[in-house]
Amino acid sequence: MSRSAHPAGPRHGDVLPEGHYLAPPSDLNALDPKVWSRTVARDASGVATVGGITVTALAAEFGTPAYVVDEADFRARARAWHRAFGAEGVAADVYYAGKAFLSKAVVRWLQEEGLSLDVCSPGELAVALAGGMPPERIALHGNNKSVAELEQAVKAGVGHIVVDSTAEIGRLAEIAERQGVRQPVLIRVTVGVEAHTHEFIATAHEDQKFGFSLAQGSAARAVRDVLARPGLELRGLHSHIGSQIFDTAAFEVAAHRVVALLAEIRDEYGVELPEIDLGGGLGIAYTSEDDPREPAEIATALAEIVRRECAAKRLATPRLSVEPGRAIVGPTAFTLYQVGTVKPLPGLRTYVSVDGGMSDNIRTALYDADYSVALVSRTSEAEPMLVRVVGKHCESGDIVVRDAFLPADLTPGDLIAVPATGAYCRSMASNYNHALRPPVLAVAQGTARVIVRRETEEDLLRLDIG
Ligand SMILES: Cc1ncc(COP(=O)(O)O)c(C=O)c1O
């Protein structure tokens, strides 16, 4: 489904109240493999299944709302990234971005599939270590890492720390020197490129909190400061340019600028840094309109860009890292909801209220994100009905799916599911209205298990000490 200006004037039943045209899908019962995880299908009776288990069985055993992760799909995507960039592809490391979604089970899967891990808070570091990720395969990010956090990371033996400010360089150097270690670091540079979805802008965008500006010379000063500290080992440069990116044009501009700094460093200090990290941000299909590229294609393109840029500056090609989060976990999960109310607003649309909302998926309210939705507890031959899927919170902006079609016979008690909610949904979930954050269920080969349990009122009350 796509939202666009209607090419030929309004058509009954498929025009949004705002005057935009939204075409209903040709088959409301279809579960497009582009947006649903790989083992999702419908059984003979029309109930959706994942990993061989029906959603009705999942709802009966674990309740709703629930995030359902397709473990085989997660592992397959992680493996595809690792193969494309590392094992069988270019000399490169894949750091899964834990901010997208992290739990001990996920850490175990990543480790078993050969990936490394990017964390950006002490909490994420704690989960990474508790899940058994070897510390040397962890990279720590963050624009305001405290002394205590840096101490903890250095003590744990974290493989890379991506330094983000002058203050941090001083803090980290002192800690490393005090602990008698030489901490490998990357310098996060702001390349003046910002990319989101299909567009990128390669001027301005210096005006943000992350990294050291290339254009203003602070990146070059950070290099000087790091090289001057015996406790720090400068391994390379890091750049992250945005999110939900579908092509490599913006990475090309970023790589060009990062490699130019590598050449300046060689010319000034006589050192060729061995690593470059181009960050994450690769896009996924949230709706059938999105066309993400395969990891192998991205790996080939990025490696070629870096090779070409380095050759132009007569530099040896450094080891390349990437940090995909969304592109690995995003498509592997859906959120399962039960319909509570169906409220038609004649001439406008029908509001479908579910038993979750902005507390389990803030992305629609925060970024106007697009999602799709399907009736999963049965099929239906009823006409398509234009719906807005909303939650149960005290905000009119509590929207899960802004515009979509569901069958007109939808009734309270039906189960609906929103696909592609693996990234930045559970990890951004809140307790707004004292909502209990939903569990994360991992489903594989006919078994489901809870990998993050549902919160309880006792969990909420435990923190409230009166
Ligand atoms: C430094 C860094 N690396 C990686 C990522 C992961 O991005 P994505 O999940 O879009 O791949 C982010 C996201 O904000 C980031 O800030």
Side-chain angles (χ1 to χ4, degrees):
M1 283 180 287
S2 69
R3 251 185 286 173
S4 59
H6 194 294
R11 254 177 32 194
H12 178 72
D14 54 12
V15 176
L16 303 181
E18 298 84 14
H20 290 280
Y21 170 68
L22 184 71
S26 52
D27 178 3
L28 272 185
N29 296 317
L31 300 171
D32 183 352
K34 246 189 188 182
V35 292
W36 292 88
S37 71
R38 290 180 197 177
T39 73
V40 167
R42 285 197 191 266
D43 71 8
S45 67
V47 180
T49 64
V50 55
I53 306 184
T54 60
V55 292
T56 43
L58 290 172
E61 185 170 355
F62 303 103
T64 55
Y67 304 102
V68 183
V69 183
D70 184 338
E71 180 181 338
D73 192 20
F74 185 103
R75 284 179 178 275
R77 288 176 197 274
R79 208 175 311 133
W81 278 88
H82 179 56
R83 285 211 179 119
F85 279 85
E88 294 166 16
V90 297
D93 297 302
V94 180
Y95 286 79
Y96 168 80
K99 66 203 79 174
F101 172 64
L102 198 62
S103 75
K104 288 190 280 184
V106 161
V107 175
R108 207 168 44 250
W109 301 340
L110 291 167
Q111 208 190 321
E112 287 168 7
E113 301 303 339
L115 279 75
S116 300
L117 180 56
D118 138 19
V119 298
C120 66
S121 71
E124 287 181 6
L125 178 57
V127 175
L129 295 172
M133 183 58 79
E136 63 276 12
R137 278 165 58 188
I138 299 176
L140 176 67
H141 278 274
N143 66 302
N144 182 18
K145 308 177 193 80
S146 70
V147 171
E149 287 165 25
L150 291 168
E151 261 167 359
Q152 186 193 349
V154 173
K155 198 164 160 213
V158 157
H160 284 80
I161 296 183
V162 185
V163 293
D164 199 284
S165 69
T166 310
E168 184 189 344
I169 293 172
R171 280 176 204 158
L172 182 60
E174 275 171 30
I175 292 164
E177 285 152 24
R178 216 181 315 123
Q179 293 191 20
V181 295
R182 203 152 176 252
Q183 176 63 49
V185 299
L186 302 182
I187 292 176
R188 177 154 178 177
V189 300
T190 310
V191 290
V193 173
E194 181 159 298
H196 295 289
T197 314
H198 305 276
E199 296 164 10
F200 79 92
I201 303 167
T203 50
H205 294 99
E206 294 282 334
D207 190 1
Q208 49 118 335
K209 69 174 184 170
F210 293 108
F212 294 93
S213 162
L214 274 178
Q216 294 179 0
S218 57
R221 288 191 290 278
V223 169
R224 181 201 60 199
D225 293 350
V226 170
L227 287 174
R229 300 301 300 244
L232 303 181
E233 179 194 357
L234 182 56
R235 298 286 306 166
L237 303 176
H238 178 284
S239 141
H240 172 78
I241 53 173
S243 58
Q244 196 50 5
I245 304 166
F246 286 94
D247 69 32
T248 50
F251 285 103
E252 190 151 2
V253 179
H256 177 76
R257 295 180 184 177
V258 169
V259 170
L261 181 58
L262 287 181
E264 278 175 40
I265 296 168
R266 181 220 26 220
D267 296 344
E268 189 155 353
Y269 302 100
V271 276
E272 286 201 21
L273 300 182
E275 295 183 33
I276 161 175
D277 188 323
L278 290 178
L282 294 142
I284 63 164
Y286 282 105
T287 72
S288 300
E289 304 301 308
D290 295 322
D291 279 310
R293 294 166 71 181
E294 290 299 316
E297 210 186 318
I298 296 163
T300 310
L302 291 189
E304 175 52 22
I305 289 168
V306 172
R307 195 203 56 72
R308 203 175 51 233
E309 293 295 331
C310 289
K313 299 280 186 193
R314 295 184 317 283
L315 285 164
T317 308
R319 191 169 177 83
L320 173 65
S321 307
V322 286
E323 298 171 341
R326 182 193 320 268
I328 293 177
V329 69
T332 69
F334 59 81
T335 313
L336 185 61
Y337 299 104
Q338 187 173 55
V339 173
T341 70
V342 178
K343 191 186 284 184
L345 299 187
L348 291 170
R349 67 182 100 240
T350 297
Y351 277 78
V352 174
S353 295
V354 294
D355 48 359
M358 64 194 295
S359 55
D360 59 71
N361 186 349
I362 191 65
R363 293 189 67 259
T364 307
L366 196 59
Y367 311 126
D368 201 15
D370 266 336
Y371 282 97
S372 64
V373 61
L375 171 61
V376 287
S377 47
R378 61 186 173 91
T379 50
S380 165
E381 297 314 315
E383 285 293 298
M385 148 176 93
L386 178 64
V387 300
R388 178 160 288 175
V389 178
V390 296
K392 54 190 292 166
H393 296 284
C394 302
E395 290 282 330
S396 47
D398 173 24
I399 297 168
V400 180
V401 185
R402 189 169 297 282
D403 302 304
F405 289 90
L406 283 170
D409 63 353
L410 192 77
T411 16
D414 279 333
L415 298 176
I416 62 175
V418 175
T421 58
Y424 305 106
C425 287
R426 180 57 179 79
S427 65
M428 289 180 131
S430 78
N431 290 121
Y432 179 47
N433 294 141
H434 281 93
L436 305 172
R437 285 178 295 177
V440 182
L441 315 175
V443 178
Q445 294 171 339
T447 32
R449 66 191 184 88
V450 177
I451 58 170
V452 179
R453 73 160 167 77
R454 186 185 300 286
E455 277 179 332
T456 61
E457 285 174 6
E458 291 73 55
D459 291 325
L460 296 182
L461 287 167
R462 208 173 25 240
L463 299 178
D464 183 338
I465 53 177

